[in-house]
Amino acid sequence: MSTFRASRRQLISGALLYGAGLTASSPVGAQSPRYPARPVRLIVPNAPGSSVDTISRLLGQQLTPLLGQALVVDNKAGAAGAVGIDAGKLAPPDGYTVIAASSSSVTVAPLLQKAISYDPLKDFELISLVALLPNVLVCRTTLPVNKLSEFVAYGKAQGGKFNMASAGPGSVSHLAGVALSAAGGFEALHVPYKGGSQSVGSVVSGETDWTLTPAPVAMALVKGGRLKILGHSMPKGTQPLGPVPSLAETLPGFEFTSWIGWMGPKGLPPEVLDGLRRQLTLALQTKEIREGFAVHGAVPHSSTGEAFREFLARDIEQTRKAIRLAGVQAE
């Protein structure tokens, strides 16, 4: 169980402070009068409507007036995010191209795809984390359980015929689900789909029994009464989803949190990095962002570049362990 205790508790607790210590309000122009002189492109290596895309667009609405220039979302999906990440890596390091990275594209994909050549810790400038995304345990409404202890007991009684949906082999929902079944001591039959919306839809229809998926994919269906929610994957004591309990309350130490952060091509000038980080911090503190993120189960969280780097290194190691447990091989 301790394998899946992410060493990120201090960062997650700090999320609720929305970037305490990074609250300088001076505009980007105070560091670099000429920046930005034109719109800034934000590469989103995911399809429109994905959680990364949704969060990025919400953030862009608040950042545009702070930057004094438009933040233009450029969706470049493909190869589990590698297409967009590579495009950002090769962009000129002038501050006019930044990347909306995520646990899927930056942590999981390089560990599972041999063709990926980028090293997230070496090949980019890390600007800031922007959101923590709890994974949520949701099940079909007809499943005869109402809390995690009942869910675990039910799973143990099914003899391996407890159908777990995922967004595909090696996806966050696959790795998180395998980690949960291991922590709970029950077997689950993995049923992979081509994306989060399809996997969650299979639970709604009753084709599968449950999934542990990033909150933005499922919360609208939970609120509409089409899914039953049993818990979230952030640490015990945190409440990103109001009264929804942490899975760690029943399975001590269990944590499996997704994230979104901004990075840029290697060589971004320090004044650009600092300016973008300050404006991100200001945007993440706004009421509009807090409320907009909450609808999707996301927690605003700014950070220094170094804190982001430490967070990412721990996330990579935790994911590496989950991949070994899931028996997924790099292809």
Side-chain angles (χ1 to χ4, degrees), residues 137 144-156 184 186 230 245-247 249-251:
L137 174 59
V145 301
N146 292 298
K147 54 186 179 180
L148 181 57
S149 59
E150 295 173 351
F151 174 87
V152 170
Y154 183 88
K156 289 179 178 178
F186 62 89
L230 302 177
S246 167
L247 298 173
E249 292 179 20
T250 301
L251 299 174

Side-chain angles (χ1 to χ4, degrees), residues 10-308:
Q10 290 181 343
L11 282 170
I12 291 174
S13 297
L16 302 179
L17 299 177
Y18 307 112
L22 290 172
T23 54
S25 58
S26 57
V28 171
Q31 288 291 326
S32 179
R34 299 181 181 178
Y35 176 84
R38 62 179 189 272
V40 176
R41 178 175 66 144
L42 176 64
I43 294 179
V44 174
N46 308 78
S50 64
S51 57
V52 180
D53 177 75
T54 299
I55 294 301
S56 296
R57 291 179 186 278
L58 287 170
L59 193 51
Q61 291 172 7
Q62 298 305 310
L63 269 173
T64 290
L66 291 172
L67 293 172
Q69 291 287 344
L71 185 76
V72 181
V73 172
D74 183 8
N75 294 95
K76 287 189 175 296
V83 171
I85 300 296
D86 271 328
K89 174 185 173 182
L90 298 174
D94 56 9
Y96 290 99
T97 298
V98 291
I99 311 158
S102 70
S103 41
S104 304
S105 60
V106 168
T107 300
V108 178
L111 293 174
L112 291 179
Q113 295 194 39
K114 294 179 180 178
I116 288 180
S117 60
Y118 55 79
D119 183 329
L121 293 172
K122 296 179 180 179
D123 295 338
F124 302 91
E125 302 292 349
L126 302 184
I127 300 169
S128 174
L129 284 162
V130 299
L132 299 176
L133 304 172
N135 291 296
V136 291
L137 174 59
V138 292
C139 64
R140 54 182 170 86
T141 57
T142 54
L143 203 70
V145 301
N146 292 298
K147 54 186 179 180
L148 181 57
S149 59
E150 295 173 351
F151 174 87
V152 170
Y154 183 88
K156 289 179 178 178
Q158 299 310 301
K161 297 180 180 179
F162 201 22
N163 295 337
M164 177 196 81
S166 85
S171 64
V172 169
S173 53
H174 178 204
L175 300 179
V178 169
L180 179 66
S181 62
F186 62 89
E187 294 183 20
L189 178 63
H190 178 215
V191 184
Y193 289 84
K194 294 182 179 180
S197 59
Q198 292 94 328
S199 65
V200 171
S202 76
V203 181
V204 171
S205 68
E207 185 174 281
T208 57
D209 295 315
W210 64 280
T211 188
L212 183 53
T213 189
V217 184
M219 289 311 296
L221 293 166
V222 169
K223 292 174 181 177
R226 301 180 68 190
L227 286 173
K228 191 183 297 186
I229 187 167
L230 302 177
H232 68 77
S233 68
M234 288 177 71
K236 182 178 180 180
T238 58
Q239 291 185 303
L241 302 170
V244 177
S246 167
L247 298 173
E249 292 179 20
T250 301
L251 299 174
F254 181 85
E255 298 171 26
F256 213 106
T257 303
S258 300
W259 56 270
I260 298 171
W262 277 23
M263 59 190 196
K266 197 73 174 176
L268 281 178
E271 62 272 19
V272 171
L273 281 168
D274 292 343
L276 283 171
R277 192 174 292 129
R278 280 196 300 275
Q279 301 300 4
L280 273 170
T281 299
L282 290 173
L284 290 166
Q285 292 173 345
T286 63
K287 177 183 177 182
E288 290 80 4
I289 286 296
R290 293 197 302 271
E291 293 179 349
F293 278 28
V295 170
H296 302 281
V299 179
H301 181 46
S302 60
S303 71
T304 64
E306 187 55 36
F308 187 4

